[in-house]
Amino acid sequence: MTATSLDNSAHWHTLSEDELFAKFKTTREGLSAAEVTQRLAEHGANEIQEAKPVRRITIFVRQFSSLIVWLLVIAAVVAGALGEIVDATAILAIVLLNGVIGFYQEHKAEQSIAALRRMTAPLARVRRSGRSLIVQATQVAPGDVLEVEAGDVVAADARLVEAVSLRCIESALTGESEAASKLATELDDADLPLGDRTNMLFKGTSVAAGQGTALVVATGMKTELGRIADMIGQAGACERTPLQEKLESLGRMLVWVALGIVALLFLLGLLRGTGLLEMFMTSVSLAVAAVPEGMPAVVTVALALGVMRMSRRRALVRRLPAVETLGATNVICTDKTGTLTLGEMTVRELFVAGQTFAVTGEGYGPHGEVLFEGQATGDEHAEPLLELATTLLACNNAELMLEEGAWKVIGDPTEGAMRAVGHKAGGNTTEIERELPRRHEIPFDSERKRRTIVRRMPDGRLRAFVNGAPDVLLQHCTKIYTEAGIVPLDEAQRRNIEEQNEAMAVRALRVLGAAYCDLPQNIEAHEITEKFERDLVFVGLAGMYDPPRPEAKESIARCHDAGIRVVMITGDHPHTALAIARELGIAGTDDIAVSGVELNKMSDDDMRTRAPHIAVYARVSAEHKLRIIQAWKANGAVVAMTGDGVNDAPALKGADIGIAMGLHGSEVTKQASDMVITDDNFASIVAAVEQGRGIYDNIRKTLQYLLASNSAELLLMTICILIGLPTPLLPIHLLWINLITDGLPALCLATDAIDPGVMRRRPRERSQGMTDRAFVERMLVGNIATVAMCFCIFVWALRHGDTESARSITFTTLVFSELSKSFSFRSETSPLWQLRWLSNPQLPIVVTASLGLQLILHHVPFLSEVLGIVKPEWQVPWLLLGAGFLPLIALEILKIYRNKAPHK
């Protein structure tokens, strides 16, 4: 068998057993040692391969390739040449920090694939040359005959040839929370999704019950798990976040505009006869001043603080820019099982003795009770509920255990749900095992659709307890348990049971029937077969489902209020998915669920066109999930993907931000994610979105403040040079202004408290720039007010004194005005008197300290000599301080005007 023939292996489930063995040139006796060696040499070891890693030094160097980074490096060199060692060191530290963060980000795909390797089975049982052997899972080859039993982890993708009551837990691959029943019969439909390929076993899944023999059809990277690993690598191609795109674009624009203006001023200065060295130093200082070199530090600090805030709300961020990206999200594609739902089968309704009971509580824990018509059950209900509970518990192999504060099931999730509700209804497993000892079992089978466990009653009789599909069970029932006792089952009662079953199914409940019969006294346990499953006494029904998380509906409503679209993507059945989606408010009554089979028929263009109109995707694979994410991104959406299973990992990697569930999420999913929700709570995602939006607002207002301040310096210098006045500021003045105004005040703005109304706004579009009309208006008003005031003061000072004193006064006035403006930039709409001052006490402290330091400069001879300033008369600083507040007043007037103006 060649590697090429293995590549065309999409339809192994449709082949007959003879065709299958012929295709792989083997028999039920298995391969010989020589054949195994040959096939391993041809197809490789059965392992998830890791891509050849890029050298670490290469990854690190790549982080310093952008134009803005090189400008910062040049700025640091110039600052060092001018003696500003602190400034130069700070700039280089910023560049290095961003490089380290980028270096860390590029290692995640490798970690995800390593987690997939740890997930696979270390050992496997195979039949070779007629003998059963235990081998390393990596040594399993295509054509091997694989033997599995309860508790095994499947070593490779394999087609079943024998199955005895075999059930597998495939939730990591398919998203279904209940164990899947397996059969060894061929299937007709070639396009079945993974969850419906009942004759296939998949690498990395586990066997919940039964035994099976299967022919290995795919190993290593050819398995479904391997395909997911490959998709993780492809989906993990490095993409820039919306914030990175905007800052990079803005940075390039600022660089070229600043360099153009500086070059023009340099030429004008030379034409006016200014010295070459003086104009060079002035031009370089202007270039450094024009570009907000503190911006990368501000962004890093804002994001890092967001990480801390989000961790307190149970969201752990693994990639720093993801904080802001989540704030830009306008579509959340979420897995159902374990994310919107608990991922634990829970009984919601019971029907016994002609009455319907509601069951409260979630998951496998003991919390909850049985209610009748909304009220606690009375004594008259105790006996029928106990009868049903005893039947459910007596025919049960699952165990419930408390592990790390959470109740978990060992065995079949459906039987775990039966055990939990049996206790709520008054049953006691310990008493049943002690008083009704087990004597025989007829396992569940997909054809029989029922399980039977025989126990010896206290009076010595043998009783067969039977649980199974209601329609099948009713065919074998001739009696029914009622409040009046056991009576013959008539047609009216039969129709009532069928109607109850259908009503539960319509509500997306999976229904299990319970019955029993007493066996002949002279029969031995080993003689009991399914032929004795007749003349059953019907006891009742239990309707169960994987319930929505209690907080999920409210969280989805908050998403809708915030303009965020929520889309459900699940491997579960369409009917179940749509019922849950409607209950949570994701889908309306007219919406339908689109299946994976339908997606296979759509081209990428069709998916891109239809994606905005589809709320629920069901029965989808890992590949489908990734295509859905890509379709939304092709529409310009910023997409978040949540999930917990291995099948979610490629989509998490391909989304703008991947969010993994921390409690029940697989290690693969966590490694592929940008953020991990530690409590598996969808509400924590909404809280994280709120933080992300607040962080973007803080970065935007900080950038606005920095650009307004830096461009004011550039504009003032330009005007004076153009009209032939002396330069109002020396190069050392420009660097000092940048240090004192671009540093701590900007950091205070970047760490400001989040606006309470941030979740009542619609999300911004991916194409929306960091700067808009309102941004430019505020910047211009602040600029014009600052430049006009400083220019007038400079001209006045030149007429009443020398150039040195005029520069000193202008220098101090500009510092005062830029510091005072920081208060106004806290909010684009709220005036100063409406701001919550206690929410950011650092800013007033920093501004006051900076103002005091600026005043001190004039009175310390050494500092005044270094900065080239003179000591003014005692009243001048206070007049300048008052003048410095004029730009602040202008900005506040703009807010009032804009708030009163009608919204367009």
Side-chain angles (χ1 to χ4, degrees), residues 563-593:
I564 299 172
R565 175 77 180 274
V566 181
V567 178
M568 179 189 288
I569 305 177
T570 178
D572 213 338
H573 291 278
H575 184 71
T576 304
L578 195 57
I580 296 290
R582 285 172 176 165
E583 182 176 347
L584 292 174
I586 293 175
T589 54
D590 296 331
D591 285 314
I592 61 172

Side-chain angles (χ1 to χ4, degrees), residues 121-252:
L123 297 173
R125 182 182 295 274
V126 294
R127 190 184 302 159
R128 290 176 179 170
S129 299
R131 297 175 56 206
S132 184
L133 305 172
I134 295 178
V135 300
Q136 293 290 327
T138 56
Q139 299 303 302
V140 172
D144 257 325
V145 176
L146 189 67
E147 298 176 340
V148 296
E149 60 184 14
D152 286 351
V153 176
V154 180
D157 285 6
R159 162 67 190 278
L160 283 164
V161 293
E162 293 178 6
V164 179
S165 304
L166 186 63
R167 294 168 67 81
C168 294
I169 297 175
E170 300 176 339
S171 58
L173 279 179
T174 66
E176 288 195 63
S177 50
E178 59 183 284
S181 298
K182 295 295 181 178
L183 298 170
T185 56
E186 62 188 271
L187 302 172
D188 295 329
D189 191 346
D191 296 323
L192 286 175
L194 290 184
D196 291 336
R197 297 181 193 177
T198 54
N199 60 4
M200 293 291 296
L201 301 178
F202 299 107
K203 182 180 178 72
T205 60
S206 59
V207 180
Q211 298 173 330
T213 303
L215 183 68
V216 174
V217 296
T219 60
M221 296 299 289
K222 294 289 196 305
T223 63
E224 292 298 327
L225 198 65
R227 291 178 64 249
I228 289 176
D230 189 49
M231 281 190 284
I232 291 174
Q234 294 177 17
C238 185
E239 293 187 29
R240 305 187 70 79
T241 69
L243 179 65
Q244 289 171 323
E245 292 172 354
K246 292 177 178 61
L247 290 180
E248 187 72 20
S249 174
L250 184 62
R252 284 194 299 268

Side-chain angles (χ1 to χ4, degrees), residues 42-368:
E42 184 178 351
H43 301 290
N46 177 33
E47 58 187 359
I48 304 299
Q49 298 172 0
E50 297 186 45
K52 184 179 180 180
V54 182
R55 293 176 61 193
R56 292 185 178 183
I57 187 66
T58 303
I59 297 175
F60 187 69
V61 169
R62 279 206 300 249
Q63 312 309 314
F64 304 95
S65 58
S66 71
L67 181 61
I68 189 73
V69 167
W70 280 106
L71 183 74
L72 291 179
V73 172
I74 294 171
V77 172
V78 172
L82 293 174
E84 294 297 317
I85 303 302
V86 174
D87 215 11
T89 303
I91 295 172
L92 289 176
I94 291 165
V95 172
L96 182 63
L97 177 62
N98 282 280
V100 170
I101 292 172
F103 174 78
Y104 166 76
Q105 292 171 8
E106 294 196 25
H107 276 79
K108 291 195 304 165
E110 183 179 343
Q111 294 172 348
S112 298
I113 294 173
L116 276 171
R117 291 168 64 92
R118 291 193 295 271
M119 180 180 172
T120 56
L123 297 173
R125 182 182 295 274
V126 294
R127 190 184 302 159
R128 290 176 179 170
S129 299
R131 297 175 56 206
S132 184
L133 305 172
I134 295 178
V135 300
Q136 293 290 327
T138 56
Q139 299 303 302
V140 172
D144 257 325
V145 176
L146 189 67
E147 298 176 340
V148 296
E149 60 184 14
D152 286 351
V153 176
V154 180
D157 285 6
R159 162 67 190 278
L160 283 164
V161 293
E162 293 178 6
V164 179
S165 304
L166 186 63
R167 294 168 67 81
C168 294
I169 297 175
E170 300 176 339
S171 58
L173 279 179
T174 66
E176 288 195 63
S177 50
E178 59 183 284
S181 298
K182 295 295 181 178
L183 298 170
T185 56
E186 62 188 271
L187 302 172
D188 295 329
D189 191 346
D191 296 323
L192 286 175
L194 290 184
D196 291 336
R197 297 181 193 177
T198 54
N199 60 4
M200 293 291 296
L201 301 178
F202 299 107
K203 182 180 178 72
T205 60
S206 59
V207 180
Q211 298 173 330
T213 303
L215 183 68
V216 174
V217 296
T219 60
M221 296 299 289
K222 294 289 196 305
T223 63
E224 292 298 327
L225 198 65
R227 291 178 64 249
I228 289 176
D230 189 49
M231 281 190 284
I232 291 174
Q234 294 177 17
C238 185
E239 293 187 29
R240 305 187 70 79
T241 69
L243 179 65
Q244 289 171 323
E245 292 172 354
K246 292 177 178 61
L247 290 180
E248 187 72 20
S249 174
L250 184 62
R252 284 194 299 268
M253 182 190 72
L254 288 175
V255 167
W256 294 117
V257 169
L259 290 178
I261 294 175
V262 167
L264 178 63
L265 294 180
F266 179 75
L267 292 175
L268 287 174
L270 291 180
L271 292 175
R272 288 183 52 225
T274 307
L276 178 63
L277 180 61
E278 180 183 348
M279 279 311 304
F280 174 76
M281 295 301 292
T282 300
S283 299
V284 170
S285 300
L286 272 175
V288 173
V291 178
E293 65 268 20
M295 195 60 206
V298 165
V299 171
T300 300
V301 169
L303 295 176
L305 182 67
V307 169
M308 293 173 59
R309 288 174 174 171
M310 291 167 75
S311 67
R312 291 195 289 267
R313 303 185 74 167
R314 303 186 184 279
L316 301 180
V317 176
R318 303 182 65 250
R319 192 167 69 93
L320 209 54
V323 179
E324 181 276 335
T325 306
L326 193 60
T329 297
N330 50 19
V331 175
I332 298 179
C333 294
T334 175
D335 182 44
K336 177 185 73 69
T337 305
T339 306
L340 293 174
T341 65
L342 290 172
E344 301 171 344
M345 297 303 293
T346 303
V347 174
R348 187 57 71 230
E349 291 184 20
L350 295 175
F351 174 75
V352 60
Q355 296 177 320
T356 301
F357 298 85
V359 184
T360 64
E362 313 291 351
Y364 303 118
H367 308 293

